[in-house]
Amino acid sequence: MDSRTLQKKLVGYEAAKRIKDGQVVGLGTGTTVRYFIEKLGEKIKERELDILGIPTSYQSFLLAKNCGIPLTTLEEHDVDIAIDGADEVDKKLNLIKGKGGAHTQEKIVDYSAKKFIVIVDESKIVDELGKSPVPVEVIPSSLRMVCENIKKLGGKPSLRFYKYTPWISDNGNFIIDVKFDSIGDPSRLEKELNNIPGVVENGIFSKNVDEVLVGTKNGIKVLK
């Protein structure tokens, strides 16, 4: 197992320690969160804990079921704590998420949680957001107009493809990956993107992060 994978496993297992009996847990999406979900399933089985999960994607839904985590929905329960990954984290705990195309449901669950913890390996920490493109979920019929408006904001949009067809989100929409030269004000850009008609949600998360657990070569670093 390489160093980066070990870091992901380390923070995933550490996050599972933060979950208490009786909690409703938002289950994020991604390679790092996979270790968290697997460990949480073990914890529930070994200690017979009363924990419910709310998945943020079909990927996390299927994984959680395979790990024996009882599932529920936002219609039935509030979220006590959400555990999710990120593609980038800056020093003010702003995030870029959505490499897996699940950022809309992730934001719904993560922003509604009483506590939101992000788990990443150290390669995801940046001085300023923008190294990674910003994923934007778009209603298909609005694609051209959305791209034109994104260009006015200084972005360079590119329709995401899976092999030879457009990537379709769990919600049945297109994903645009938008490159910005710099993102000096993540909160403002998050709002500006969402104000474009046809945009469902974008992958900038500029609020509600309580804590970031960072896996490093020397152990776990906590950012608050």
Side-chain angles (χ1 to χ4, degrees):
M1 189 177 291
D2 61 39
S3 176
R4 187 173 174 187
T5 301
L6 283 171
Q7 291 172 23
K8 292 180 178 184
K9 186 174 182 179
L10 183 67
V11 292
Y13 282 18
E14 178 63 28
K17 295 178 183 177
R18 309 293 179 95
I19 307 305
K20 301 176 182 178
D21 190 23
Q23 288 188 318
V24 176
V25 185
L27 306 174
T29 300
T31 55
T32 306
V33 176
R34 180 181 186 88
Y35 291 107
F36 162 71
I37 293 176
E38 290 173 344
K39 192 64 176 179
L40 181 61
E42 292 177 13
K43 184 175 179 179
I44 290 172
K45 183 178 180 180
E46 292 171 358
R47 303 184 188 179
E48 298 183 352
L49 301 178
D50 180 20
I51 290 171
L52 295 174
I54 297 181
T56 57
S57 65
Y58 289 135
Q59 181 188 86
S60 57
F61 169 81
L62 293 171
L63 179 60
K65 284 185 69 69
N66 288 337
C67 292
I69 301 174
L71 301 177
T72 186
T73 68
L74 283 172
E75 288 296 318
E76 299 173 290
H77 292 91
D78 293 330
V79 182
D80 293 306
I81 182 170
I83 308 292
D84 212 340
D87 302 317
E88 289 186 7
V89 181
D90 72 12
K91 295 179 179 179
K92 295 183 179 180
L93 307 191
N94 297 301
L95 317 174
I96 289 180
K97 292 175 50 57
K99 195 172 183 179
H103 59 275
T104 296
Q105 190 63 22
E106 287 175 329
K107 190 173 284 189
I108 291 170
V109 173
D110 295 344
Y111 273 19
S112 69
K114 296 173 185 175
K115 187 170 186 178
F116 177 23
I117 296 178
V118 176
I119 54 175
V120 295
D121 64 86
E122 60 186 347
S123 71
K124 304 298 178 63
I125 305 300
V126 298
D127 292 326
E128 181 179 278
L129 298 185
K131 181 179 179 181
S132 300
V134 177
V136 180
E137 184 166 347
V138 176
I139 294 172
S141 62
S142 70
L143 178 62
R144 183 180 66 84
M145 295 304 299
V146 168
C147 286
E148 289 184 2
N149 279 287
I150 284 175
K151 289 176 183 177
K152 294 176 183 177
L153 296 177
K156 301 171 184 175
S158 176
L159 180 62
R160 185 186 298 185
F161 280 83
Y162 176 73
K163 295 184 178 179
Y164 301 105
T165 60
W167 179 300
I168 304 299
S169 74
D170 287 354
N171 304 311
N173 298 310
F174 290 162
I175 302 290
I176 300 172
D177 291 312
V178 185
K179 192 70 178 71
F180 291 91
D181 291 335
S182 65
I183 302 177
D185 190 340
S187 178
R188 179 178 177 180
L189 183 57
E190 180 181 7
K191 294 173 184 176
E192 289 177 335
L193 288 170
N194 281 351
N195 281 337
I196 298 173
V199 169
V200 179
E201 188 54 80
N202 72 84
I204 297 176
F205 287 54
S206 66
K207 60 182 181 180
N208 288 28
V209 178
D210 295 291
E211 193 173 57
V212 179
L213 305 182
V214 185
T216 75
K217 297 175 182 177
N218 301 313
I220 295 174
K221 182 178 180 180
V222 180
L223 305 179
K224 292 184 178 181

